[in-house]
Amino acid sequence: MGEPNDKMFITENSENSDEQAAAEEGFDFEKINNVETNKSYEKKQIQDINSLNDFFKVELYDRNFGDRIIALGEKLDPLVVRKIFHKYSEIIDSAQNAFEYFKDNFLQQGAADQKTIDRIRENLFEKGKNLLERFVSKAESGEDVSEDGVLEELENIKTETLLFTSSFKIFKEESKFIDLADIAAMNYDVNFAEKFKNDAKLMGEMEDIYRKNYENYPPKFTARLMRSFQDSLENPSTVLFTLKHKDELAAFCRLDKKTDEDGETKSFYFGSFNVNSSYKQSRLGESLFEAAMMEAGALGVPIEADCDPAAMLTKKYIESGFVVTSLYDFEGIPSFHIVFDHSVNNNLESKRLTHEEIAQKATAGTVEGALMIRMYAEKEAPDFSPLQHGYVLTRYFLQEDKKYCVFEKIPAQSEEVLRAA
């Protein structure tokens, strides 16, 4: 196998019902409305929340969370706390606009029912909860939280983006497939790289996302990826897929077409799969991945890629149809070479097994015919050595607290297809 082109590493209630529910959970409602501390923390900081009812809808209060919130005011500058609660208020208030927002931006995909809107609102409440939890934890740990640092972090939290990602995530979960071109709030573009390479703003955004996504990897590794990406832009057969939201680049990937000596398409290479950190955990990247796979799969030729075995997304790739053909070192990072081919998958027994069937076989400790099933603790590093002994890795997933790997020996004809890709 040649050097990889790139990595994928890619209700109706009484007026006081919320207060009553909070009291039942041990939350001291009076205390939060009568804050008195030695640091001149005033009641105003808590009451900056626009809607106290929504504050309780977050459902994040256990028996001591009220004290923890008050501790936030005791340990941080009042101005900093005011800014935190102002941003929290924006997020919670945006939930009230969920129906209109969904109707304006997603209705082309189907009617908005109350269940969908409720789930979007719940997701926004959860994001508000996480915001408070993050700063409370920082205060409790004694971490230095400066006003400038807080302002910068809050500035990067765009409420409209949270409303969009919450809406997209819930709609994706309920609709399974989304036609990206039909989402009004997005700009989905697919075109040859030559069209994009002179767009300095877009190229700069891509490089920034790349560097941020790989900031925990060795510098040599990241630099090599960047060079591979830049080189691909010079390939007249490279196609870039981009997703923008409100003129902000949300995700991108590429397909390189490989041809044989007669100029016929031999395979595609999928790479440079990156999602802007502001849009992660929204299922948006998953939708872009699916769109690119449909585009490449239409010709019925193999699709190659490379990825980090330790990345959570790698399991998604394998469970989506890719198989791992080899494990190798790439600038000090263990890496998988993976291939998707319908003709090969149709002959793989393991691709037809459910997660439950695999878990049962692994628990029984059975090895059947060409299959080798291994089970590991969630944090345990799997043994991928069967890849060196005529097996390919066909299944790789987490279920509850266990990690499962399924290896399968493949017929010589299928092996030839995979190795030639």
Side-chain angles (χ1 to χ4, degrees), residues 60 62 64-73 133 136-137 139-140:
L60 51 77
D62 54 26
N64 64 12
F65 198 83
D67 290 333
R68 295 179 65 203
I69 290 179
I70 291 168
L72 187 66
E133 179 66 42
V136 167
S137 297
E140 291 176 336

Side-chain angles (χ1 to χ4, degrees), residues 222-238:
T222 306
R224 184 86 172 272
L225 287 187
M226 291 298 300
R227 285 200 305 272
S228 295
F229 170 62
Q230 290 161 355
D231 289 345
S232 74
L233 299 177
E234 302 302 321
N235 182 349
S237 297
T238 291

Side-chain angles (χ1 to χ4, degrees), residues 241-361:
F241 296 71
T242 61
L243 275 179
K244 289 185 177 182
H245 169 245
K246 298 295 183 182
D247 202 38
E248 179 179 31
L249 184 61
F252 64 95
C253 65
R254 81 172 204 263
L255 282 174
D256 301 336
K257 182 170 69 173
K258 295 184 175 183
T259 59
D260 59 22
E261 56 188 18
D262 296 321
E264 296 296 321
T265 302
K266 174 186 174 184
S267 64
F268 284 101
Y269 184 88
F270 175 75
S272 304
F273 184 30
N274 282 273
V275 179
N276 185 323
S277 59
S278 296
Y279 295 85
K280 289 185 176 181
Q281 299 182 347
S282 67
R283 312 292 293 269
L284 190 146
E286 178 184 337
S287 296
L288 181 62
F289 167 71
E290 291 171 350
M293 290 302 99
M294 288 182 65
E295 186 81 16
L299 293 182
V301 298
I303 306 169
E304 302 174 73
D306 296 272
C307 54
D308 179 355
M312 286 297 297
L313 208 51
T314 293
K315 299 176 182 64
K316 167 67 178 177
Y317 300 146
I318 298 174
E319 290 302 293
S320 296
F322 282 89
V323 301
V324 180
T325 62
S326 64
L327 175 67
Y328 64 98
D329 180 271
F330 183 76
E331 296 292 355
I333 299 295
S335 302
F336 279 155
H337 184 69
I338 62 179
V339 181
F340 181 98
D341 188 280
H342 280 296
S343 65
V344 173
N345 286 346
N346 290 339
N347 294 318
L348 291 173
E349 177 188 352
S350 55
K351 286 295 189 184
R352 297 189 292 271
L353 296 176
T354 65
H355 285 186
E356 290 69 25
E357 289 171 332
I358 292 172
Q360 289 172 2
K361 290 178 182 294

Side-chain angles (χ1 to χ4, degrees), residues 60-232:
L60 51 77
Y61 301 108
D62 54 26
R63 294 186 179 276
N64 64 12
F65 198 83
D67 290 333
R68 295 179 65 203
I69 290 179
I70 291 168
L72 187 66
E74 294 174 346
K75 297 179 180 179
L76 301 183
D77 183 276
L79 177 60
V80 172
V81 177
R82 185 181 298 115
K83 295 289 186 181
I84 293 170
F85 276 97
H86 180 71
K87 179 60 69 172
Y88 170 84
S89 175
E90 284 185 8
I91 297 171
I92 297 304
D93 285 348
S94 72
Q96 307 310 315
N97 302 321
F99 176 78
E100 289 298 323
Y101 184 86
F102 189 86
K103 182 181 68 174
D104 291 344
N105 293 283
F106 293 83
L107 202 54
Q108 308 96 312
Q109 296 275 349
D113 59 28
Q114 192 59 45
K115 176 185 173 184
T116 300
I117 302 305
D118 287 345
R119 290 191 63 202
I120 294 171
R121 288 172 174 160
E122 288 170 7
N123 192 264
L124 285 163
F125 292 151
E126 185 69 18
K127 291 179 186 295
K129 165 188 172 179
N130 292 340
L131 174 74
L132 289 185
E133 179 66 42
R134 185 161 68 253
F135 285 108
V136 167
S137 297
K138 285 183 178 182
E140 291 176 336
S141 69
E143 183 178 338
D144 183 25
V145 183
S146 68
E147 178 182 345
D148 289 343
V150 171
L151 294 178
E152 181 179 358
E153 182 172 350
L154 295 177
E155 181 67 24
N156 289 329
I157 301 174
K158 299 175 182 177
T159 304
E160 201 276 339
T161 298
L162 296 182
L163 180 55
F164 169 73
T165 55
S166 293
S167 300
F168 194 98
K169 178 179 187 295
I170 300 307
F171 194 60
K172 170 63 176 171
E173 291 172 354
E174 296 187 355
S175 303
K176 304 304 180 185
F177 176 77
I178 292 180
D179 187 340
L180 296 172
D182 285 347
I183 306 298
M186 293 176 54
N187 181 8
Y188 172 52
D189 198 358
V190 182
N191 220 310
F192 288 107
E194 290 180 319
K195 174 188 174 183
F196 296 104
K197 69 178 184 180
N198 295 321
D199 186 333
K201 179 179 181 295
L202 179 63
M203 291 297 106
E205 287 182 290
M206 288 181 171
E207 291 185 10
D208 287 345
I209 293 171
Y210 240 123
R211 291 192 177 94
K212 187 168 185 177
N213 287 346
Y214 289 94
E215 61 185 356
N216 294 323
Y217 283 79
K220 269 184 77 173
F221 177 89
T222 306
R224 184 86 172 272
L225 287 187
M226 291 298 300
R227 285 200 305 272
S228 295
F229 170 62
Q230 290 161 355
D231 289 345
S232 74

